[in-house]
């Protein structure tokens, strides 16, 4: 994440954390590019366009009229949710110890960490910076994750509970200055040009992995030689799909016809489609690219310049790792996003346009190329949350754009759901059917607890006639989605991150992790808090601790919704009139909610934090929640000087309905969650433990911020590693109950 969180890679100097005085890290996650004149929603209420003038034709209205209410979630297969009304574990206390803390009666086991070999003949990971062959090893910064079941014979299964494939995002790497220092023997080279051998390692540790895991009745382990094991890196060939395929904006030296590209980058959240594939969001990819200082002139200041600035790549901006400096080979040249040739087919001026999408992979098919689904828009994607599919109705997906002042989106497929597609063997063809053609919307929230989805397409006359940005086609809208949302007046939010759909109510939950840019003047009903919080002697301002918005569509494909705030993150002792509006206690207080997933087996909502504001009191954590329903609370007024903002707050949670389940090691973010179909084993990722270690101390374990997981008995060396853990209940029961 940018600026105030850790996810997204880049050092993550945070506005909620104190910089290590011995380090000199560059914060490439600090994206703050929404400087559009797009008003906040309270300014546009009186200027609303009627739906008749906003949309051409009656297609949307007909779709809305014919749709049925959301009834659940299909993000993973398996057992139906069993309603529970209270959590069944003792809350875990806040702690800053360098370990994974979980409730009494549970066991956690580390099963898959950075560098673990994924093929026969790959040496055991030495963890001293000398290891190579990362194309055949686990990548770094484990993030979003999904379960794909296998039966005892290795065939796909939605019900077998002791064998499966984990699809894992490898978002980024722990770095300082330019180097991914923990994977290099002496911390790497922190100046340009960088050695090609170092860059090659870094190109390989990003991306995705698919790894088979299996339980023997007592312990879980990953299988090094499984035929399902697979790495996808920044160099893996991919196919562009959807409305932007073949457009002028996708033309590169690698693909003159704009249909192919390479790799995936900065993958954060995930999702599982109703037809059984893995989808992953490309988040903070913009910082990996270099632009020459004179590139605006080289591009003749065309509209791409406006778009590049809007997506955080101003001319002359330094790249995160300096990959473009590795030499003249194509694998390095592609990271120079400058116009250096005679035309787009001669260089990589459009390479950045091939990133920022939802990618789709079939976990069971190791040969099928990854697809980039451009119709779902291009922005800093987190997860993809699918509404429960209803036969004869469109497939609906919800997404957030994780940067300050960005937007919440919804995609509605043109194709109507056919349940037979959930059983088909050609899963990616189903993805073509439902994700390549459809309509993208951005959310506008109103102060009365309602809202509307605004269509982002050339059918919308606001976009077709925009003076803000020149849109000539729906491909333009897909590639420059943020500018389309700007143009229609979507609501600027406090960094929308992961989303989840409640498996029984169908309501959509989106985490809004924090926002240092929120001010009293811009506070609105859905982003109502602005306050000062102290971390030691450091003053933190804005929406420091974040919140979770809850939405309910009138119909899945419709344009009207209602909303409230499920819960506000806050420290237990903070002011309940302005900050701790949800009255959190020491059993469930939190800061910067990020990951959010509903369990299909139990219905529990799992909330994970990526925090820098409260880490002087506790490491990042995971909480279990049993949310109520939208509207179960009431209106609250928040005072900002002489200005009042009225918001809508859900019912106050208690330790029986919201409780801390896990606290991670030092410096780590808790992210990624999936489960076996019976809900008796959950998998959780521990990302970048020890990330605040100084590069100068890379060979001095005594100065590491964290030595996890080595200090828990896993693997060689003492350098901290991102890793996947599995948690089981000692009595064999369903997790959290």
């Amino acid at each position: 994440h940018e600026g105030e969180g850790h996810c997204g890679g880049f050092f993550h100097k945070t506005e909620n954390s104190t910089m290590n005085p011995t380090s000199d890290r560059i914060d490439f996650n600090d994206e703050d590019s929404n400087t559009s004149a797009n008003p906040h929603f309270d300014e546009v209420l009186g200027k609303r366009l009627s739906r008749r003038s906003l949309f051409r034709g009656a297609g949307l209205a007909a779709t809305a009229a014919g749709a049925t209410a959301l009834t659940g979630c299909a993000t993973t297969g398996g057992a139906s949710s069993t309603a529970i009304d209270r959590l069944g574990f003792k809350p875990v206390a806040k702690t800053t110890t360098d370990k994974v803390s979980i409730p009494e009666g549970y066991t956690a086991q580390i099963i898959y960490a950075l560098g673990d070999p994924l093929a026969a003949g790959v040496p055991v990971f030495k963890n001293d910076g000398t290891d190579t062959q990362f194309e055949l090893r686990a990548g770094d910064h484990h993030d979003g994750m999904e379960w794909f079941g296998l039966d005892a014979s290795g065939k796909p299964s939605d019900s077998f509970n002791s064998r499966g494939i984990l699809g894992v995002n490898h978002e980024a790497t722990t770095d300082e200055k330019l180097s991914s220092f923990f994977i290099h023997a002496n911390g790497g080279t922190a100046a340009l040009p960088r050695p090609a051998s170092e860059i090659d390692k870094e190109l390989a540790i990003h991306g995705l992995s698919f790894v088979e895991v299996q339980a023997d009745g007592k312990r879980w382990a990953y299988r090094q030689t499984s035929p399902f094991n697979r790495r996808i890196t920044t160099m893996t060939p991919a196919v562009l799909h959807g409305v932007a395929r073949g457009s002028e904006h996708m033309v590169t030296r690698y693909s003159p016809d704009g249909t192919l590209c390479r790799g995936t980058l900065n993958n954060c959240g995930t999702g599982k489609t109703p037809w059984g594939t893995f989808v992953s969001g490309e988040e903070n990819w913009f910082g990996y690219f270099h632009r020459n200082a004179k590139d605006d002139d080289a591009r003749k200041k065309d509209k791409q310049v406006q778009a590049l600035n809007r997506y955080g790549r101003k001319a002359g901006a330094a790249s995160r790792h300096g990959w473009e400096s590795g030499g003249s080979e194509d694998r390095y040249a592609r990271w120079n996003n400058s116009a250096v040739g005679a035309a787009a087919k001669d260089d990589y001026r459009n390479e950045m346009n091939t990133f920022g999408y939802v990618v789709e992979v079939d976990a069971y098919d190791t040969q099928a190329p990854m697809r980039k689904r451009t119709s779902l828009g291009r922005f800093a994607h987190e997860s993809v949350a699918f509404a429960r599919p209803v036969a004869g109705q469109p497939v609906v997906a919800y997404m957030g754009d994780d940067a300050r002042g960005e937007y919440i989106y919804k995609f509605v497929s043109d194709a109507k759901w056919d349940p037979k597609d959930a059983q088909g063997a050609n899963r990616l063809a189903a993805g073509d059917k439902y994700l390549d053609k459809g309509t993208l919307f951005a959310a506008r929230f109103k102060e009365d607890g309602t809202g509307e989805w605004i269509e982002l397409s050339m059918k919308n006359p606001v976009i077709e006639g925009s003076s803000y940005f020149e849109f000539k086609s729906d491909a333009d809208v897909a590639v420059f989605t943020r500018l389309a949302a700007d143009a229609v007046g979507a609501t600027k939010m406090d960094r929308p991150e992961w989303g989840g759909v409640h498996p029984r109510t169908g309501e959509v939950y989106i985490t809004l992790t924090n926002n240092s840019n929120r001010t009293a003047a811009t506070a609105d009903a859905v982003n109502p808090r602005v306050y000062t919080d102290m971390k030691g002697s450091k003053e933190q301002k804005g929406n420091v601790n974040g919140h979770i918005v809850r939405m309910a569509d009138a119909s899945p494909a419709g344009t009207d919704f209602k909303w409230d705030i499920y819960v506000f993150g806050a420290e237990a002792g903070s002011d309940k009139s302005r900050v701790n509006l949800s009255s959190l206690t020491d059993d469930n207080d939190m800061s910067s909610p990020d990951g959010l997933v509903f369990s299909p087996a139990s219905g529990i909502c799992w909330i994970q934090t990526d925090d820098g504001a409260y880490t002087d009191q506790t490491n990042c954590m995971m909480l279990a929640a049993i949310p109520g329903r939208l509207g179960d609370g009431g209106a609250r007024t928040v005072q900002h000087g002489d200005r009042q903002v009225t918001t809508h707050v859900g019912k106050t949670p208690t330790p029986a309905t919201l409780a801390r389940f896990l606290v991670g090691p030092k410096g780590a973010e808790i992210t990624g969650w999936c489960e076996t179909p019976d809900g008796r084993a959950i998998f959780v990722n521990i990302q970048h433990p020890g990330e605040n270690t100084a590069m100068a101390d890379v060979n001095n374990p005594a100065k590491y911020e964290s030595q996890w997981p080595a200090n828990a008995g896993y693997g060689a060396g003492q350098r901290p590693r991102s890793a996947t853990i599995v948690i089981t209940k000692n009595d064999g029961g369903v997790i959290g109950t």
Side-chain angles (χ1 to χ4, degrees):
H1 308 126
E2 48 75 47
E4 290 106 87
H6 299 83
C7 179
F10 312 139
F11 153 54
H12 335 294
K13 176 186 87 167
T14 76
E15 296 182 28
N16 296 332
S17 66
T18 302
M19 284 289 287
N20 185 332
T22 64
S23 67
D24 183 23
R25 296 181 178 179
I26 300 172
D27 182 9
F28 294 103
N29 264 354
D30 194 10
E31 188 199 345
D32 185 16
S33 60
N34 194 353
T35 58
S36 69
N38 177 23
H40 294 271
F41 81 93
D42 52 349
E43 300 174 48
V44 299
L45 290 178
K47 304 176 184 177
R48 284 187 59 207
L49 296 174
S50 69
R51 186 176 304 169
R52 180 173 298 176
S53 65
L54 190 60
F55 301 113
R56 290 181 176 176
L60 285 173
T63 301
T68 58
L70 292 176
T71 57
C73 175
T75 55
T76 54
S80 300
S81 296
T82 301
I84 60 173
D85 59 8
R86 64 183 297 111
L87 299 169
F89 61 89
K90 180 181 177 181
V92 172
K94 291 171 283 191
T95 179
T96 57
T97 56
D98 191 27
K99 66 178 185 179
V100 173
S101 301
I102 56 175
E104 299 172 2
Y106 287 83
T107 298
Q109 179 192 349
I110 303 156
I111 60 169
Y112 181 57
L114 164 68
D116 281 346
L118 289 172
V122 180
V124 172
F125 192 58
K126 296 189 290 294
N127 195 25
D128 61 2
T130 65
D131 299 281
T132 57
Q133 295 181 274
F134 278 94
E135 296 86 352
L136 299 174
R137 297 183 183 276
D140 203 357
H141 281 208
H142 299 42
D143 207 311
M145 178 168 51
E146 301 291 337
W147 166 272
F148 299 90
L150 297 169
D151 65 17
S153 65
K155 301 296 183 183
S157 171
D158 288 333
S159 59
F160 200 68
N161 296 294
S162 60
R163 187 180 180 189
I165 303 166
L166 296 180
V168 182
N169 281 346
H170 296 293
E171 184 185 23
T173 184
T174 302
D175 61 354
E176 181 182 308
K177 296 183 179 177
L178 295 173
S179 174
S180 306
F181 68 97
F182 276 129
I183 68 164
H184 302 307
N186 293 310
T189 302
L192 299 179
R194 298 195 55 226
S197 60
E198 291 183 3
I199 294 173
D200 289 344
K201 280 189 182 185
E202 293 164 12
L203 292 172
I205 61 176
H206 290 70
L208 317 171
S209 67
F210 295 87
V211 57
E212 183 181 342
V213 296
Q214 190 168 6
D216 62 6
K218 296 181 180 179
R219 294 183 63 81
W220 285 85
Y222 87 93
R223 295 185 59 198
Q224 177 177 341
T225 59
S226 169
F228 293 106
N229 292 352
R230 179 184 182 188
R231 277 299 317 283
I232 292 174
T233 75
T234 59
M235 298 302 297
T236 305
V239 182
L240 291 163
H241 274 251
V243 67
R245 174 182 169 88
S247 82
E248 61 178 313
H249 307 304
M250 298 301 192
V251 171
T252 65
R253 193 165 77 192
Y254 177 75
S255 180
D257 66 354
T259 61
L260 303 175
C261 61
R262 281 171 295 182
T264 189
L265 189 61
N266 218 251
N267 301 79
C268 192
T270 57
K272 191 171 183 181
T273 66
W275 48 95
T277 58
F278 177 89
V279 286
S280 171
E282 297 179 324
E283 192 196 8
N284 284 311
W285 34 271
F286 76 98
Y288 290 80
F289 293 91
H290 167 73
R291 284 185 69 208
N292 296 337
K294 300 294 185 181
D295 190 49
D296 287 0
D297 293 333
R299 292 174 182 266
K300 298 181 174 58
K301 294 184 171 60
D302 64 12
K303 70 178 184 180
Q304 282 263 15
V305 171
Q306 180 184 354
L308 286 161
N309 291 337
R310 181 63 180 85
Y311 280 88
R313 276 296 84 182
K314 294 182 179 180
S319 64
R320 175 185 170 183
H321 290 303
W323 288 345
E324 74 284 352
S325 71
S328 60
E329 290 183 47
D330 194 65
R331 64 193 296 113
Y332 313 121
R334 63 185 288 228
W335 304 104
N336 183 351
N337 204 57
S338 306
V340 296
K345 64 181 178 59
D346 301 318
D347 57 29
Y348 287 102
R349 69 185 69 181
N350 288 332
E351 183 76 357
M352 200 174 93
N353 292 340
T354 68
F355 289 91
Y357 301 101
V358 170
V359 301
E360 184 178 14
V361 181
D362 186 347
Y364 299 110
D365 187 344
T366 61
Q367 301 304 310
M370 170 176 63
R371 285 158 159 80
K372 295 204 175 188
R373 302 296 184 184
T374 65
S375 296
L376 275 65
R378 177 173 167 263
F379 43 87
H381 279 278
E382 289 280 334
S383 66
V384 185
F386 288 92
R388 186 183 182 95
V390 177
Q393 298 297 331
V395 169
V396 178
Y398 300 89
M399 301 164 288
D401 183 353
D402 178 21
R404 287 170 285 183
E406 295 298 345
Y407 309 118
I408 293 173
Y409 297 90
K410 177 171 82 168
F411 176 81
V412 179
S413 70
D414 284 353
K416 306 302 189 291
W417 176 244
D418 182 348
K420 294 178 182 177
D421 289 328
Q423 308 301 321
N426 195 345
R427 287 168 283 270
L428 289 175
D432 296 344
K433 176 179 177 181
Y434 295 108
L435 298 183
D436 282 351
K437 294 181 180 180
T439 304
L440 190 64
F441 299 86
R444 180 187 289 164
F445 293 79
K446 306 177 193 177
E447 61 185 0
D448 62 356
T450 65
E452 60 182 335
W453 293 104
I454 311 298
E455 181 173 351
L456 303 181
S457 80
M458 297 301 288
K459 294 179 181 177
N460 184 336
V462 175
I463 290 177
E464 183 186 43
S466 172
S467 60
Y468 173 66
F469 185 80
E470 181 187 17
F471 296 99
K472 293 183 177 180
S473 67
D474 284 334
D476 283 2
V477 175
V479 177
F480 309 122
T481 309
R482 284 180 171 175
L483 291 108
D486 291 345
V488 301
T491 302
K492 296 180 179 181
M493 305 294 286
D494 287 349
R495 294 183 54 205
E497 302 232 25
W498 292 52
V501 178
H502 195 296
R504 290 187 298 279
T505 69
E507 294 169 352
V508 183
Y509 290 66
I510 305 282
T511 57
L512 303 172
T513 196
N514 53 49
N515 186 359
S516 63
N517 281 0
R518 186 63 62 182
T519 66
T522 64
D524 54 35
V526 73
N527 305 281
R529 291 187 306 169
V530 179
Y531 53 97
T532 299
D533 178 85
M534 299 302 295
K535 182 180 179 182
S537 61
K538 183 177 176 63
E539 189 176 78
Q540 307 166 118
K541 293 183 178 181
N543 177 10
V544 178
N545 303 117
H547 57 285
I548 301 174
V549 66
R550 177 168 50 188
M551 308 164 68
D553 282 343
S555 61
T559 58
D560 298 319
F561 64 86
K562 295 181 178 180
W563 67 268
D564 69 3
I565 305 298
Y566 161 55
V567 67
F568 287 92
E571 300 179 22
S574 53
D575 180 0
K576 291 185 179 181
S577 67
R578 297 183 60 249
V579 181
N580 192 6
L581 301 181
S582 297
S583 298
L584 300 186
T585 70
D586 283 325
D587 290 327
N588 55 25
D589 63 341
M590 62 173 164
S591 179
S592 297
D594 186 337
L596 186 148
V597 185
F598 280 92
S599 162
S602 67
I604 290 173
C605 178
W606 295 96
I607 302 167
Q608 300 168 319
T609 70
D610 174 20
D611 182 40
Y614 200 22
T615 48
D616 56 338
Q617 300 295 317
T618 181
N619 299 338
C620 288
M621 64 185 68
M622 183 171 77
L623 302 95
I626 303 175
R629 297 189 71 106
L630 190 150
D632 59 8
R636 292 282 297 276
T637 298
V638 183
Q639 193 76 34
H640 298 298
D642 60 357
R643 182 169 183 256
Q644 290 184 338
V645 176
T646 299
T647 188
H648 307 275
V649 186
K651 181 180 179 181
T652 299
T654 69
T657 60
L658 177 65
R660 189 177 302 106
F661 182 86
L662 177 153
V663 179
K666 286 180 175 292
E669 170 191 348
I670 310 304
T671 182
W673 183 98
C674 63
E675 67 181 350
T676 53
D678 60 5
R680 288 175 165 80
I682 64 171
F683 302 85
V684 178
N685 282 328
I686 310 296
Q687 187 184 102
H688 59 63
E691 72 156 355
N692 296 305
T693 304
M695 181 175 173
D697 297 324
V698 69
N699 287 314
N700 187 353
K703 292 189 176 182
Y704 293 170
E705 181 187 24
S706 171
Q707 293 185 10
W708 191 90
N711 63 6
Y714 189 89
Q718 293 174 283
R719 296 184 180 198
R721 302 161 66 186
S722 296
T724 303
I725 63 174
V726 58
I727 300 173
T728 53
K729 198 173 183 181
N730 296 347
D731 65 6
V734 174
I735 305 298
T737 64

